[in-house]
Amino acid sequence: MYSEKVIDHFTNPRNVGEIENASGVGTVGNAKCGDIMRVYLDIDDDGVIRDCKFKTFGCGAAVATSSMATEMIKGKTVQEAMKLTNKAVMEALDGLPPVKVHCSVLAEEAVHAALWDYSQKKGIVIEGLEKPEEAEEQKVELDAE
Ligand code: FES
């Protein structure tokens, strides 16, 4: 039921880890399944994403979508990363089963949350970006790992 690409990104995820002193960090969670995703961005002075890492405490599709999402925004500008949709991540993975679509939504949200954090730290406005939902409780869970 999973594509080869999903299995590849799940068994061999790209960009796992943390970035110290990241330009932006975003943590999101899905209340229903309890999965949590955190994305770290290293953004240079020109607004280009130099590096991107993630930590996911979640299902295989959550790992695969975070892996693919981070691959897709690396080297891109903040504005380009803003355009990353869960649909694009799913397409890049050759699809996901319907019950796993929300995992890709989490990946999109995690990238947006990290971009939001970056915009707050820099004091800039990123067009089309909205404040993410608070994920304080989930942050604690990830930190306690
Ligand atoms: Fe919830 Fe995958 S089952 S993120």
Side-chain angles (χ1 to χ4, degrees):
M1 76 178 208
Y2 285 115
S3 72
E4 272 175 34
K5 280 195 190 159
V6 172
I7 292 167
D8 175 33
H9 277 265
F10 169 60
T11 50
N12 179 25
R14 303 4 169 220
N15 312 312
V16 175
E18 292 180 31
I19 296 176
E20 257 183 67
N21 302 318
S23 318
V25 183
T27 306
V28 293
N30 181 296
K32 278 197 189 134
C33 64
D35 291 350
I36 304 161
M37 214 179 265
R38 180 176 294 166
V39 165
Y40 300 81
L41 299 173
D42 175 21
I43 300 172
D44 71 14
D45 291 340
D46 297 324
V48 174
I49 299 170
R50 259 191 301 230
D51 199 8
C52 179
K53 298 244 186 267
F54 79 91
K55 266 169 114 182
T56 289
F57 187 74
C59 73
V63 172
T65 51
S66 348
S67 169
M68 182 55 94
T70 50
E71 281 289 272
M72 289 171 83
I73 61 170
K74 232 202 254 187
K76 299 277 165 60
T77 64
V78 164
Q79 280 73 26
E80 285 165 340
M82 269 299 296
K83 292 190 197 128
L84 180 87
T85 60
N86 78 300
K87 205 164 161 262
V89 174
M90 281 201 299
E91 277 169 13
L93 285 168
D94 291 338
L96 281 174
V99 292
K100 291 288 172 183
V101 171
H102 78 270
C103 318
S104 65
V105 173
L106 213 51
E108 179 189 315
E109 287 175 354
V111 169
H112 284 175
L115 287 171
W116 175 264
D117 184 44
Y118 164 73
S119 73
Q120 297 302 292
K121 283 179 178 154
K122 287 282 267 187
I124 57 168
V125 174
I126 299 175
E127 209 181 313
L129 186 61
E130 286 173 16
K131 188 174 189 293
E133 279 181 30
E134 290 294 332
E136 288 305 322
E137 278 173 40
Q138 288 138 355
K139 258 184 212 164
V140 173
E141 273 182 57
L142 250 188
D143 288 334
E145 253 179 75

